[in-house]
Amino acid sequence: PLGQPMHDEL
Amino acid sequence: MNIFRLAGDMTHLASVLVLLLKIHTIKSCAGISLKTQELYALVFATRYLDLFTDYISLYNTLMKLIFLVSSFSIVWYIRHHKIVRRSYDKDQDTFRHYFLVLPCFLLALVINEKFTVKEIMWTFSLYLEAVAILPQLVLLQRTRNIDNLTGQYVFLLGAYRSLYILNWIYRYFTEPHYVHWITWISGLVQTLLYADFFYYYFQSWKNNVKLELPA
């Protein structure tokens, strides 16, 4: 989804 | 967030704290590769570019700050602290780590999920992290007596990525559309690089003998 950052992991 | 990823982040945090503890308390970086530390600082600097643009969670932002500050302070300690720098063995830490940076960057230009600056820098940081431990592993094979803290540091650093692999498997089965081949393959390569270290680390722990890597 656009806007949602591609990566949520550290 | 799942237990594997939380355990992975905590193990990663522990590895950084063990290293800071060693350097800060006994004022020594004997056996530590400055080159690996410099590569890690570069990994975090290129991976956390979205620190101020994308807010994911307080945890995410806090951990990014901790990893950034700790990795750069470790590099500063080894390079500039008047006592610590004396214990840095630059004649042994000779891995030409700059030869790792360019191939990783070129690979990130070619193989990435999206051709944007942020995504290419993020992919570069993944490839670089996979090989960042090499100078440290080479140094360990050269320095005969590996002290406990250094051994624990490398072990925790390898263990965190192994836990991340379990996290990726878990997310693959629980989250639809969660597919990140680039992350998975580079994470697997990174973990495999630790395989022989893990073997000797486990042997030394089982036989209760000092950790020694074959030359």
Side-chain angles (χ1 to χ4, degrees):
Chain A
L2 279 181
Q4 178 69 21
M6 286 270 280
H7 308 290
D8 60 354
E9 294 178 345
L10 291 172
Chain B
M1 176 60 80
N2 60 67
I3 186 62
F4 303 112
R5 191 164 129 213
L6 184 62
D9 289 341
M10 292 304 109
T11 305
H12 193 188
L13 182 63
S15 75
V16 162
L17 296 181
V18 159
L19 188 51
L20 267 174
L21 178 89
K22 169 187 165 89
I23 291 176
H24 184 72
T25 45
I26 58 176
K27 293 285 181 283
S28 159
C29 66
I32 299 296
S33 163
L34 170 62
K35 303 188 172 206
T36 285
Q37 299 311 315
E38 287 170 345
L39 290 175
Y40 256 96
L42 185 58
V43 164
F44 292 131
T46 52
R47 184 173 304 176
Y48 300 152
L49 295 173
D50 62 350
L51 181 62
F52 300 110
T53 55
D54 301 341
Y55 178 79
I56 293 170
S57 69
L58 181 63
Y59 171 83
N60 188 274
T61 303
L62 206 60
M63 291 296 278
K64 286 177 176 174
L65 284 170
I66 291 173
F67 286 139
L68 277 168
V69 169
S70 57
S71 60
F72 278 92
S73 12
I74 286 167
V75 169
W76 178 86
Y77 256 114
I78 299 179
R79 275 190 167 186
H80 302 296
H81 188 280
K82 59 188 179 306
I83 303 176
V84 174
R85 62 192 285 189
R86 281 208 295 261
S87 57
Y88 172 55
D89 192 348
K90 64 178 173 301
D91 305 330
Q92 295 264 29
D93 190 16
T94 58
F95 194 100
R96 281 190 279 277
H97 59 323
Y98 293 120
F99 285 9
L100 295 173
V101 174
L102 192 63
C104 289
F105 183 69
L106 296 176
L107 191 63
L109 282 176
V110 175
I111 303 177
N112 51 63
E113 285 184 24
K114 213 167 60 176
F115 199 79
T116 63
V117 170
K118 207 165 75 171
E119 189 57 27
I120 286 172
M121 294 309 274
W122 187 85
T123 311
F124 164 70
S125 82
L126 265 188
Y127 297 150
L128 192 63
E129 187 189 358
V131 293
I133 197 62
L134 285 174
Q136 181 62 62
L137 291 179
V138 165
L139 184 63
L140 285 186
Q141 288 187 326
R142 288 198 182 138
T143 48
R144 295 317 305 157
N145 62 332
I146 302 168
D147 67 85
N148 290 341
L149 282 172
T150 306
Q152 277 153 13
Y153 163 69
V154 176
F155 171 75
L156 290 166
L157 207 49
Y160 116 80
R161 214 58 179 163
S162 318
L163 289 164
Y164 253 74
I165 291 175
L166 298 181
N167 151 64
W168 293 324
I169 295 170
Y170 178 86
R171 292 188 75 175
Y172 175 77
F173 287 111
T174 55
E175 293 173 34
H177 317 306
Y178 181 79
V179 177
H180 288 291
W181 285 109
I182 291 177
T183 310
W184 298 344
I185 292 172
S186 78
L188 189 61
V189 165
Q190 177 173 339
T191 304
L192 291 178
L193 287 178
Y194 286 82
D196 70 326
F197 173 82
F198 282 149
Y199 171 76
Y200 291 109
Y201 192 80
F202 178 69
Q203 292 299 324
S204 81
W205 172 74
K206 194 176 70 175
N207 309 327
N208 199 13
V209 293
K210 199 122 180 72
L211 174 61
E212 285 220 359
L213 296 184

Coordinates of all heavy atoms in Angstrom, one line a residue, chain A residues 2-10, chain B residues 5 56 60 119 122 167-168 171 178:
Chain A
L2 N 0.5 2.2 -0.8 CA 1.3 3.5 -0.9 C 1.4 4.1 0.5 O 0.5 4.0 1.3 CB 0.7 4.4 -1.9 CG 1.0 4.1 -3.3 CD1 0.4 5.1 -4.3 CD2 2.6 4.1 -3.5
G3 N 2.4 4.9 0.7 CA 2.5 5.6 2.0 C 3.0 4.7 3.1 O 4.0 5.0 3.8
Q4 N 2.4 3.5 3.2 CA 2.9 2.6 4.2 C 4.4 2.3 3.9 O 4.7 1.9 2.8 CB 2.0 1.3 4.2 CG 2.5 0.3 5.2 CD 2.2 0.7 6.6 OE1 1.3 1.6 6.8 NE2 2.9 0.1 7.6
P5 N 5.3 2.5 4.9 CA 6.7 2.2 4.6 C 6.9 0.8 4.1 O 6.2 -0.2 4.6 CB 7.4 2.5 5.9 CG 6.4 2.6 6.9 CD 5.1 3.0 6.2
M6 N 7.8 0.6 3.2 CA 8.1 -0.8 2.7 C 8.5 -1.7 3.8 O 8.2 -2.9 3.8 CB 9.2 -0.7 1.6 CG 8.7 -0.1 0.3 SD 8.1 -1.3 -0.8 CE 9.7 -2.0 -1.4
H7 N 9.3 -1.2 4.7 CA 10.0 -2.1 5.7 C 9.7 -1.7 7.1 O 10.0 -0.6 7.5 CB 11.5 -2.1 5.4 CG 11.8 -2.3 4.0 ND1 11.6 -3.5 3.4 CD2 12.2 -1.5 3.0 CE1 11.9 -3.5 2.1 NE2 12.3 -2.2 1.8
D8 N 9.1 -2.6 7.9 CA 8.8 -2.3 9.2 C 9.8 -3.0 10.2 O 9.6 -2.9 11.4 CB 7.4 -2.7 9.6 CG 7.3 -4.2 9.4 OD1 8.2 -4.9 8.9 OD2 6.2 -4.8 9.7
E9 N 10.8 -3.6 9.7 CA 11.8 -4.3 10.5 C 13.1 -3.5 10.7 O 13.4 -2.7 9.8 CB 12.1 -5.7 9.9 CG 10.9 -6.6 9.9 CD 11.2 -8.0 9.3 OE1 12.3 -8.1 8.6 OE2 10.4 -8.9 9.5
L10 N 13.8 -3.8 11.7 CA 15.1 -3.0 12.0 C 16.2 -3.5 11.0 O 16.1 -4.6 10.6 CB 15.5 -3.3 13.4 CG 14.5 -2.6 14.5 CD1 14.9 -3.0 15.9 CD2 14.6 -1.1 14.3
Chain B
R5 N 11.0 -12.1 16.2 CA 11.6 -10.8 15.9 C 12.0 -10.1 17.1 O 13.1 -9.5 17.2 CB 10.6 -10.1 15.1 CG 11.2 -8.8 14.4 CD 10.3 -8.3 13.3 NE 10.1 -6.9 13.5 CZ 9.0 -6.3 13.2 NH1 7.9 -7.0 12.7 NH2 8.8 -5.0 13.4
I56 N 7.0 4.3 12.4 CA 6.3 3.0 12.5 C 5.8 2.8 13.9 O 4.7 2.4 14.1 CB 7.3 1.9 12.0 CG1 7.6 2.1 10.5 CG2 6.7 0.5 12.2 CD1 8.7 1.2 10.0
N60 N 10.3 1.0 17.2 CA 11.1 1.0 16.0 C 12.0 2.2 16.0 O 13.2 2.1 15.7 CB 10.1 1.0 14.8 CG 10.8 0.8 13.5 OD1 11.3 1.8 12.9 ND2 10.9 -0.4 13.0
E119 N 15.0 2.9 -1.3 CA 15.0 1.5 -1.4 C 16.3 0.9 -1.8 O 16.7 -0.1 -1.3 CB 13.9 1.1 -2.4 CG 13.6 -0.4 -2.5 CD 13.1 -1.0 -1.1 OE1 12.6 -0.2 -0.3 OE2 13.4 -2.2 -0.9
W122 N 18.5 1.0 1.2 CA 18.0 0.0 2.2 C 18.5 -1.4 1.7 O 19.1 -2.1 2.5 CB 16.5 0.0 2.2 CG 16.0 -0.9 3.3 CD1 15.8 -0.6 4.6 CD2 15.6 -2.3 3.1 NE1 15.3 -1.7 5.3 CE2 15.1 -2.7 4.4 CE3 15.5 -3.1 2.0 CZ2 14.7 -4.0 4.6 CZ3 15.1 -4.4 2.2 CH2 14.7 -4.8 3.5
N167 N 11.7 -15.4 12.3 CA 10.6 -14.4 12.2 C 10.1 -14.3 10.7 O 8.9 -14.2 10.5 CB 11.3 -13.1 12.6 CG 10.7 -11.9 11.9 OD1 9.5 -11.6 12.1 ND2 11.4 -11.2 11.0
W168 N 11.0 -14.4 9.7 CA 10.5 -14.3 8.3 C 9.7 -15.6 8.0 O 8.7 -15.4 7.2 CB 11.8 -14.3 7.4 CG 12.5 -13.0 7.5 CD1 12.0 -11.7 7.8 CD2 13.9 -12.8 7.5 NE1 13.0 -10.8 7.9 CE2 14.2 -11.4 7.7 CE3 15.0 -13.6 7.2 CZ2 15.4 -10.9 7.6 CZ3 16.3 -13.1 7.2 CH2 16.5 -11.7 7.4
R171 N 6.3 -14.9 9.6 CA 5.5 -13.9 8.9 C 5.0 -14.4 7.6 O 3.9 -14.1 7.1 CB 6.3 -12.6 8.7 CG 6.6 -11.9 10.0 CD 7.3 -10.6 9.8 NE 6.3 -9.6 9.4 CZ 6.7 -8.3 9.2 NH1 7.9 -7.9 9.4 NH2 5.7 -7.4 8.9
Y178 N 3.3 -11.4 2.4 CA 4.6 -11.0 3.0 C 5.7 -11.8 2.3 O 6.0 -13.0 2.7 CB 4.6 -11.3 4.5 CG 5.9 -10.9 5.2 CD1 6.2 -9.5 5.4 CD2 6.9 -11.8 5.4 CE1 7.4 -9.2 6.0 CE2 8.2 -11.4 5.9 CZ 8.4 -10.1 6.2 OH 9.6 -9.7 6.7

